[in-house]
Structures are given as C-alpha cells and as structure tokens.
Amino acid sequence: MRQINHAEAVHRARVLISQMTLTEKSGQISQAFAAPFMPPLDDAVAAGRLGSLLFVSDPARINHYQRLAVEQSRLGIPLLFGFDVIHGLRTIFPVPLGLAASFDPDLVEQAQAAAAAEARASGIHWAFAPMVDIARDPRWGRIVEGAGEDPHLGSVMAAAQVRGLQGPELGTPGRIIAGPKHFLGYGAAPGGRDYEPVSLSDAEIRNVYLPPFVAAIRAGAGNIMSAYMDINQQPAVAAKWLLDDLLRGELGFTGFVVSDANGVQNQIAQHFAVDEADAALRALNAGNDMEMAMGPNAFARLPALVEQGQLPMATLDLAVERVLVAKIRMGLFESPFVDEAAAEPVLADPKHRALAQVAAERSLVLLHNQGNCLPLTPGVARRVAVIGPLADSVPDTLGPWVFVPDKRETVTVARGIAEHLAGRATVEVQPGVQLHRMMPSGLEAFGPRLKPWTAAEAEAHFDAAVDAARGADQTILVLGEAQSQSGERASASDLTLPGGQLELLDAVLATGKPVVLVLLAGRPLDISALVPRVPAILMSWYPGTRGGTAVARTLFGDINPGGKLPVTWPRHVGQVPIHYGRSRTHTPDRADSLYHDGPSTPLYPFGHGLSYTSFQIEPPVLDKAVLIPGEHVAITTRITNIGSHSGDEVVQLYVHQRAGRAMRPARELKAFQRVSLEPGESREVRFVIDTEMLSYWHSGERRVLLDPGQFDLWIGTDAHADLHLTLIVA
Ligand code: BGC
C-alpha cells in the first residue's frame, strides 16, 4: 500500500471536513467504549456520531462496526480502533517495568513490533501505549506500566516502544499508532495515591517528566493521551499551557491528542467544570482532539456551542482534521476492514512466543545470591516444591493490562519448572495462601476473580504447602503481589509481602530445607527482612506468556540473568521517594544517615543486578579533557568477563555538574550499553558525550543551558558506579 504523507493527508481531510455537518464533526472526535457490558453502539456508529471505538479486539466485531461506519454512515468515514496494547495482545511480554529492566531497547522495540503485528492483524489501529510517565514512588500502582524513575532510561525506552509499535512512520504496514501517555506528570502522584493532584515545578517538568515525551515525539508518535489528575491546580486535560503551548507549540507535536477515559467529563467531578458543555469546551480549547468517553460523551455538546457562538468552528475543524489525518495516514480509507482469516496465524505466531521468552529472560534481575546459591543444578534435588500463591497462577504470570491472552499458552513458574525438570525430579506445587485486595478497585470487571477460601480450606492449603517443603530437597518460593494488586487503582501503602505470605515464608524456612525466592511483582517490595534469611532472590516482574520457562531456565543456569533495576529499591516504605537523582544537599557525607532510626541508603541502587559470572571494568579514558560547546568527547572503557559463565553486563555512564547556575542531581544516567560476553572475552565500550547530554532547563532563565566548568563522570554497573573521571566544559 502507498504511504500517505502528512501534507497530502491534511488536504484530503479538509475536503472531507467541508462536507461534514456539525454533528458529524463532533462525532468524528468522539470515542466510545465498546465493551460487552456497555449499551450498544450500532446506531451511533451508523449515524456518524462516533469516530473511534476502544476495547474491541475481535476481528469479526471490528468488521461489524466498520461496516456500519463505512457502508451506512453518510460520509462513510471509517472508524479508528484503539486498545490498551500495553505489553502484548495475545502473546504477552513482560510488563513495561520488566522490559525496561532489560536495558535493551532493541529487544523492547522488537517486542512492541510483535504486539503491533498482533493488534493490526486483529483490526486494531492504535495502542494507548507506551506509558512514559516517570515514576519515583513504588507505592504508585502504575509504576509497573512505565520504565521507572530515570529520565534517560525512560526516554530510550519511550523511543524504542514508539518505533516498535508504529514503525519508521505512521501508516507502516502491520504497525499501529503509538500513543504515549499521560501528558503530563501523572507519575508524581503524592503518597503514590492514584489520580491525586500533582504539583510540579517548572524544572521538574522540563528536566524529569518531559524528556521521555520528547523522545517519543522525536520517534514520531502519532498520538498523545492527556492525563487525569490535576497538575498545578488545573486538570491536565484542561491545561492549555501543557497541550497547546508546550506539546504542540514548543515540542512541535503534529498528531492528535486524546483525553484519558472519561477525562473530559471528569472535570465536573473534579469541581473544575460546571457541566458537560463547559467540560467539552475546556478540553477542546486546551488542545484535546478526541474525547475518550466511558459513557455519555461531553463532545456531543460541541455543535450547540458552535451554534451559540461559544466555540469557533475553526477550533472544532482543527481537531477533526487531526483525527482524520491519522485515519488517512493509516490507510483506513483504502482498506478499512481486517482480513478475519489472516488474524489467527499472526496471533499464534511461534516467533512471538519465542521473542516473549527472550524478553522475559533478559528482564530478570538477580537481586541477591549469597554464596552463589544460584544457579541450581537440575536433578541434584530429586524432589522440588514450588510454593506460593503466584507459583501457578496464569493471571499473575501475565500481570495487569492483559485482556485477551492465550491462557493455555501461558507458562507459569510452576509449569516452567516442571517442564524443565521433567524426568530429572518430581515437582510438587502448592499455593499455600491466597492473595486478595483489601479494597475494591472498580476495575475488577476486567480481571480474573478468585473464589475466596473458607477458613478450613485456608488452613489445609497452608499446611499442604509446608508439608511439601518438608518433603522436598529444594523449595522454590514464588511470592510477591497479585496482578490485581498492581497497576491502575492499585497503589499500596505498605510494601511488605501482602496476604499471609510472610507467615508462609516463615513456616517454609522453619522446615530447614533449602529455599530460593522468585518474586513476581510490579514494583520494588520491602524485602529487607527476607534478604538475611533467603540465600537467593530473583526479581521476575510479571514475566508474561513464556515467563515460567524464562524463570526456570534462569534458576537452573541455562540463562545467566543480566537485567538491572530501572528503579531504586527502598529498604522500607518510609524511605519513599528514594530515587538516585536527588541533589547533594549541604551535607553530602551524611547521605546514608538522614534518618535517626535506620539507614537512608536504598536496599539496592538503581541499575543493580547480579550475574552468575563476574566482570571487570577498566578505568575509563577520555579522548579530550575539555568539551567545547557544540562538539563532543568520547569516554572509553573495556569490560572483561572474568568468571566462568557466559553472561551480560550493563555498562552505565553517570554524570554530575560541579557548579553552575543551578544545582543539578548528584548523579544522572546519560548512557548505557548491555554487552554479552563469553568467559574470558572482553569488549571495548565507548560513549559519546555531547553538549545536549550536559544541558538542562533553568527555571529562572526559562531556557536550556549549558554551564561551563567541571563535570564528574562515572562508569560502572549501577548508580554507585565508582570509576571516576572529570571533564571540563569550556
Ligand atoms: C487509563 C489509561 C487507559 C484507559 C483506557 C484509563 O483508566 O488511565 O491509561 O489507556 O483507561 O483503558
């Protein structure tokens, strides 16, 4: 199919707009939720009162709605189908926080390209992804959906996901529109409480929360989703300074902006807008082009507002134009329908499953491995117990934001271990305890329901798990948080293992049998009390369709873990927020004693992750001691695998500005490279440092600056990297 460029699409859109009625225009920029439990939408689609639907993923249903739009609506404008393709559609990849832990943008790009292929083959045109919100508070449930705390890692992962989902340009065959979200600052939720008002300084916006969006826009993202919460006392959906001035004016975004689900209507509940008409007017004027509605849509009020002279026709037309341009560039007018018979082979593509396994393997982070307890040798333990509520749970292997996976394909940790050890050991699986949210979320309709055990059942399950450990030569505990305890509306005030998992762990440890721990969770949990008692801990996030295979291969040494933490891991919830990119303060030597009642250092730094082998990194060298603005310098080091396993290390470069017009973070990640090395092999790693890397937004001067003077550079394998050099910026 011929690719349609932006200018041509604009021209075609304007021709269409000149033929549209007011109702068709407001309809074109209205998106409705097409879930089975919502009122039917057929009439509205046929009447041209809807331009987009979300939540349909079945090709036959997509074609059904598309036929109504194309064959029955007056102008035959096709619908745009959007879906939360967050970490896969049928083949589920690790959750985005896990993908970020791979520190492997090429892999992440491939994963999202596979997700896009499955979506497009199903008739979906647009993903409400990637979520690129920087998140520095693990209490916030949605930390799982992003790349963690760091602006640089977040930017690299944002761009990789956009490239994967969308391809080199909008309309690339087999790809879909990427919609980075939520613009802007949603991840700064105070107390980690979802949807809470956010206050952000200009400097935090520009230097921390904006960079991933800049990267996503540079990668060509065709859509942006505005955010729910209020930022600096105005709902983000109504913030013209954000959407129109910053996003479009300064960043040059030319795609369309969608509100978050019900975000336009929410302004009434937020006590910001008076009524639907007011809400619609504010959202459109601020720069949203499409309303994602969950029920009645406020944008239906737009025609009356135009007629009453409260809304210029040109404002409405511009939003319609941006939506039509996306449809035209995606080729929907040429081929609106999906080939229903062609979907299944793409959805069932074994290459996607294989990629999901590699992605899971590369996302695993070995947090702790006392006395090289891991890897285990298959067959040494003849009786293996796999214990824990997450051990054999399909939804908890896949994680949140998963709607149409192939459950039979999903390999849980227990299944992965049983398959891996087949013929070499017997495997007994026991859940021990059940995990439930304490508070309802309102989103339960989308997730699996667990029938609660009676007290007698609970006791029997607990005892059976402890008996299994007692009878085993090796126990593998699989603990963490259930998928319903992670994601939207799943913030946590306590980071210790929920449910009766600590009691289960105590009882299993009391058997005296060897134990290792696999953690499944969407955030760092408080495991301080566990570390001294459990010799090995493998952080597995929610590893996806082939997660159990990846975990088993890692536990038993076929895979050497090389993932790294994309977030600083606190010792205790009271330390939160504890990201590494804070400034030095006037007492930098007291950084580890900022509390009188315990250490203020994290349990594990950002970037941490162990390996079954060891690496040596040589002191780096700079090719020039002075950086002339506009030029660049290179820093080079050499890394050698000095152990006996092949393995991966992520070489990381951190910088710090010694003095200048602002206080800059004590450290900032600026570059990284994941390298794979055989035992004895060594590789040169080279990073180019340019002036953009050392520049920052100055809130007083309201512009990006480069301060001359001395900069510290560190090379290493986590945020505590200690191979140090200095660089002078002239
Ligand atoms: C979330 C969005 C999501 C949308 C549609 C909202 O509740 O905040 O991230 O894309 O629902 O499911």
Side-chain angles (χ1 to χ4, degrees):
M1 202 167 58
R2 188 179 67 88
Q3 223 99 0
I4 302 162
N5 69 33
H6 188 80
E8 182 188 344
V10 168
H11 175 77
R12 279 174 62 177
R14 288 186 184 162
V15 173
L16 263 173
I17 291 169
S18 69
Q19 302 162 43
M20 291 170 83
T21 65
L22 268 176
T23 311
E24 284 165 345
K25 288 179 183 177
S26 65
Q28 198 48 227
I29 58 172
S30 297
Q31 183 186 49
F33 190 56
F37 47 83
M38 297 294 279
L41 300 168
D42 289 15
D43 293 348
V45 172
R49 278 188 278 112
L50 289 173
S52 177
L53 299 182
L54 78 149
F55 238 79
V56 210
S57 60
D58 170 36
R61 278 189 69 217
I62 285 182
N63 276 343
H64 161 78
Y65 287 119
Q66 197 65 299
R67 264 192 301 275
L68 294 172
V70 172
E71 291 164 10
Q72 295 195 28
S73 76
R74 193 178 70 90
L75 293 171
I77 300 175
L79 291 166
L80 189 67
F81 289 90
F83 200 85
D84 285 289
V85 188
I86 307 297
H87 52 117
L89 189 70
R90 185 186 292 181
T91 307
I92 304 301
F93 294 91
V95 285
L97 193 60
L99 285 174
S102 74
F103 278 68
D104 184 348
D106 293 338
L107 172 82
V108 173
E109 180 177 339
Q110 288 172 44
Q112 290 296 28
E118 292 188 9
R120 192 70 198 251
S122 306
I124 294 164
H125 309 125
W126 164 26
F128 309 135
M131 188 195 93
V132 304
D133 294 317
I134 295 293
R136 299 184 149 180
D137 188 335
R139 291 173 297 184
W140 190 47
R142 300 195 78 169
I143 191 172
V144 66
E145 292 174 52
E149 75 183 41
D150 186 71
H152 177 69
L153 180 65
S155 300
V156 171
M157 290 301 163
Q161 294 191 76
V162 170
R163 286 195 303 270
L165 288 165
Q166 211 177 265
E169 59 184 321
L170 206 60
T172 301
R175 306 291 180 101
I176 58 180
I177 303 171
K181 63 189 186 185
H182 306 82
F183 205 75
L184 182 83
Y186 185 20
R193 294 178 297 268
D194 214 359
Y195 312 143
E196 287 264 298
V198 161
S199 293
L200 284 177
S201 72
D202 210 36
E204 286 169 302
I205 288 176
R206 301 287 184 147
N207 293 323
V208 178
Y209 291 89
L210 196 59
F213 283 96
V214 173
I217 291 163
R218 284 186 185 166
N223 166 256
I224 294 280
M225 186 184 290
S226 55
Y228 275 139
M229 77 303 149
D230 42 303
I231 174 162
N232 301 346
Q233 305 188 349
Q234 209 182 11
V237 70
K240 185 175 177 324
W241 63 272
L242 267 183
L243 302 177
D244 240 17
D245 303 346
L246 178 57
L247 178 64
R248 289 218 171 81
E250 269 187 62
L251 305 185
F253 175 68
T254 55
F256 69 107
V257 175
V258 68
S259 76
D260 200 343
N262 227 35
V264 180
Q265 285 271 2
N266 287 351
Q267 295 171 87
I268 305 168
Q270 284 165 307
H271 281 192
F272 181 73
V274 197
D275 55 20
E276 275 188 7
D278 189 31
L281 196 58
R282 289 175 187 253
L284 194 75
N285 279 332
N288 299 273
D289 302 301
M290 181 180 275
E291 176 187 15
M292 183 189 287
M294 302 299 274
N297 71 319
F299 274 13
R301 311 280 163 170
L302 295 175
L305 290 165
V306 175
E307 278 158 358
Q308 293 153 15
Q310 292 185 59
L311 173 67
M313 184 74 99
T315 309
L316 177 59
D317 284 356
L318 193 54
V320 178
E321 179 182 302
R322 293 188 184 123
V323 170
L324 287 176
V325 164
K327 292 184 176 184
I328 293 165
R329 293 197 66 191
M330 289 299 286
L332 299 192
F333 286 83
E334 285 72 23
S335 53
F337 300 107
V338 57
D339 180 349
E340 290 171 36
E344 186 54 28
V346 178
L347 288 162
D349 190 339
K351 290 199 289 300
H352 296 178
R353 308 288 190 275
L355 184 61
Q357 184 176 319
V358 174
E361 288 166 357
R362 291 178 77 80
S363 75
L364 301 179
V365 181
L366 183 61
L367 294 176
H368 172 63
N369 195 20
Q370 199 189 325
N372 294 327
C373 159
L374 288 178
L376 304 171
T377 306
V380 166
R382 304 292 300 163
R383 291 165 305 169
V384 173
V386 186
I387 294 176
L390 308 173
D392 202 23
S393 158
V394 166
D396 302 319
T397 305
L398 299 174
W401 292 105
V402 167
F403 302 100
V404 285
D406 187 337
K407 299 199 177 111
R408 281 164 311 147
E409 284 267 347
T410 303
V411 183
T412 62
V413 173
R415 179 172 153 192
I417 291 170
E419 286 174 0
H420 196 84
L421 294 180
R424 297 191 276 193
T426 59
V427 175
E428 181 174 356
V429 183
Q430 289 291 342
V433 297
Q434 247 186 347
L435 295 182
H436 294 283
R437 291 175 61 104
M438 242 187 251
M439 314 304 278
S441 104
L443 298 176
E444 279 99 345
F446 302 103
R449 297 273 180 128
L450 211 58
K451 187 168 167 282
W453 291 335
T454 62
E457 283 168 343
E459 198 182 323
H461 277 290
F462 192 91
D463 293 346
V466 179
D467 285 347
R470 202 173 287 123
D473 311 312
Q474 174 71 53
T475 291
I476 298 166
L477 274 169
V478 189
L479 308 177
E481 49 180 10
Q483 63 90 38
S484 64
Q485 296 170 322
S486 172
E488 190 172 355
R489 299 194 198 174
S491 293
S493 59
D494 179 356
L495 295 177
T496 57
L497 290 176
Q501 293 182 100
L502 285 173
E503 291 74 14
L504 180 65
L505 178 109
D506 285 343
V508 167
L509 289 179
T511 64
K513 294 302 180 73
V515 169
V516 297
L517 173 61
V518 173
L519 271 183
L520 256 55
R523 66 182 118 220
L525 293 171
D526 174 353
I527 53 169
S528 298
L530 279 50
V531 172
R533 304 171 66 205
V534 181
I537 304 179
L538 183 68
M539 179 60 181
S540 307
W541 317 104
Y542 297 108
T545 303
R546 292 290 275 271
T549 310
V551 169
R553 279 164 52 86
T554 305
L555 292 176
F556 290 99
D558 288 3
I559 293 294
N560 186 352
K564 301 285 173 175
L565 292 177
V567 278
T568 304
W569 195 295
R571 294 174 190 275
H572 181 272
V573 70
Q575 295 182 312
V576 168
I578 192 182
H579 55 277
Y580 79 91
R582 289 151 27 236
S583 69
R584 263 166 77 88
T585 80
H586 70 289
T587 56
D589 44 345
R590 287 193 58 247
D592 59 352
S593 57
L594 299 170
Y595 298 114
H596 79 78
D597 57 353
S600 43
T601 50
L603 186 60
Y604 302 115
F606 173 88
H608 167 82
L610 304 174
S611 169
Y612 298 155
T613 191
S614 320
F615 298 92
Q616 194 172 54
I617 303 186
E618 286 175 17
V621 287
L622 276 168
D623 65 348
K624 284 173 236 154
V626 178
L627 174 64
I628 315 281
E631 297 187 0
H632 53 258
V633 299
I635 182 168
T636 310
T637 183
R638 175 164 286 276
I639 176 167
T640 307
N641 180 347
I642 56 167
S644 50
H645 284 79
S646 56
D648 290 11
E649 185 52 278
V650 179
V651 182
Q652 303 164 35
L653 168 70
Y654 293 87
V655 311
H656 169 63
Q657 169 177 317
R658 282 280 180 97
R661 281 168 278 184
M663 275 183 69
R664 303 293 300 133
R667 288 189 176 207
E668 288 180 279
L669 180 73
K670 286 295 172 181
F672 60 85
Q673 191 181 328
R674 181 167 176 159
V675 289
S676 303
L677 296 171
E678 295 300 320
E681 193 186 351
S682 84
R683 177 97 40 88
E684 185 183 278
V685 175
R686 181 171 181 268
F687 298 118
V688 174
I689 302 172
D690 59 20
T691 39
E692 189 182 333
M693 258 185 192
L694 305 179
S695 306
Y696 66 94
W697 170 271
H698 191 280
S699 43
E701 303 197 18
R702 297 203 52 77
R703 63 185 178 100
V704 174
L705 294 180
L706 174 68
D707 281 325
Q710 198 176 3
F711 284 74
D712 294 296
L713 310 176
W714 293 272
I715 292 273
T717 58
D718 61 37
H720 293 165
D722 58 4
L723 294 170
H724 179 249
L725 277 179
T726 53
L727 171 68
I728 304 294
V729 172

